């Protein structure tokens, strides 16, 4: 989905609706093959509208990806459903109108490449921890003198253990105890 910036400027009174199915498989598996092994066609539905000299785009995106488990590397099917809200500007001075949290993109060649935005958002939607079915119930890996623990177990250990002084002289604290 590529749009000419000046063409979208015509939609000041009413929004320009769009609904498309795009194929991002080659792009995403080539550039992000370590986290996206496969992806179904992406359903994108939304609208674009001019606001003063800027273009606001809102879209809802749905697809399903196959990503490796972060524990075992087994393929995991992960459905994705999310919204995108972006503002496209053609003059850097216009960015001052928006909050830091807003996604504001300065375009240079007068073309909005929304496929690129969708691809980037898909990558951002992948959780840091993805487990294959049943992996959450399996014991954590362990070895000779080490074991992987969950974040919850780690938090519990830090609560249960008294905090020791972490200074080079902490071992001397008991040296001069009062002897009565």
């Amino acid at each position: 989905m590529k749009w000419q910036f000046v063409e979208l400027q015509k939609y000041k009174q009413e929004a320009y609706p769009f609904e498309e199915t795009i194929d991002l498989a080659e792009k995403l598996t080539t550039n992000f093959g370590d986290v996206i092994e496969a992806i179904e066609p992406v359903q994108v539905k939304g609208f674009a509208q001019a606001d003063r000299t800027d273009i606001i785009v809102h879209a809802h995106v749905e697809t399903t990806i196959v990503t490796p488990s972060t524990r075992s590397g087994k393929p995991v099917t992960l459905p994705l459903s999310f919204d995108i809200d972006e503002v496209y500007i053609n003059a850097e001075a216009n960015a001052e109108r928006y909050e830091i949290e807003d996604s504001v993109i300065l375009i240079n060649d007068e073309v909005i490449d929304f496929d690129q935005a969708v691809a980037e958002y898909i990558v951002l939607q992948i959780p840091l921890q993805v487990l294959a079915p049943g992996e959450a119930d399996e014991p954590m890996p362990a070895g000779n003198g080490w074991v992987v623990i969950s974040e919850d177990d780690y938090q519990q250990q830090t609560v249960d253990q008294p905090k020791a002084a972490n200074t080079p002289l902490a071992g001397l604290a008991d040296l001069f105890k009062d002897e009565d």
Side-chain angles (χ1 to χ4, degrees):
M1 291 184 296
K2 291 185 180 186
W3 304 301
Q4 290 292 324
F5 192 85
V6 294
E7 287 297 314
L8 292 178
Q9 285 290 321
K10 298 175 185 175
Y11 293 93
K12 292 183 188 282
Q13 301 300 322
E14 61 183 52
Y16 167 72
F18 57 87
E19 183 172 352
E20 291 191 37
T21 301
I22 55 177
D23 183 8
L24 297 173
E26 183 178 342
K27 181 180 208 168
L28 289 174
T29 57
T30 300
N31 295 332
F32 302 99
D34 56 332
V35 292
I36 299 178
E37 296 175 355
I39 182 168
E40 292 182 2
V42 182
Q43 308 295 324
V44 183
K45 181 178 183 177
F47 64 87
Q49 188 163 11
D51 178 35
R52 294 185 238 173
T53 59
D54 308 330
I55 303 295
I56 298 172
V57 179
H58 171 79
H60 181 74
V61 178
E62 291 188 9
T63 190
T64 301
I65 65 168
V66 176
T67 187
S69 163
T70 52
R71 188 176 294 172
S72 67
K74 295 177 185 174
V76 178
T77 302
L78 183 66
L80 299 177
S81 179
F82 58 91
D83 291 327
I84 297 175
D85 289 304
E86 291 195 324
V87 177
Y88 292 90
I89 60 175
N90 62 355
E92 197 168 335
N94 294 356
E96 296 173 5
R97 292 186 238 180
Y98 301 97
E99 299 292 325
I100 290 177
E101 300 85 30
D102 294 334
S103 180
V104 179
I105 291 102
L106 175 65
I107 61 165
N108 295 323
D109 58 357
E110 296 297 316
V111 174
I112 297 173
D113 184 358
F114 200 63
D115 287 359
Q116 180 66 31
V118 172
E120 290 171 2
Y121 273 84
I122 288 171
V123 173
L124 292 173
Q125 295 300 311
I126 301 171
L128 293 176
Q129 183 179 43
V130 179
L131 299 176
E135 281 186 340
D137 300 329
E138 293 176 5
M140 293 287 216
N144 188 11
W146 63 271
V147 64
V148 176
I149 61 173
S150 70
E151 192 172 334
D152 292 337
D153 290 344
Y154 174 76
Q155 292 296 332
Q156 187 59 42
Q157 280 183 359
T158 58
V159 169
D160 293 345
Q161 295 176 351
K163 185 160 181 125
N166 190 15
T167 66
L169 302 176
L172 300 175
D174 295 332
L175 186 62
F176 296 108
K177 284 189 176 178
D178 289 338
E179 296 180 20
D180 293 335

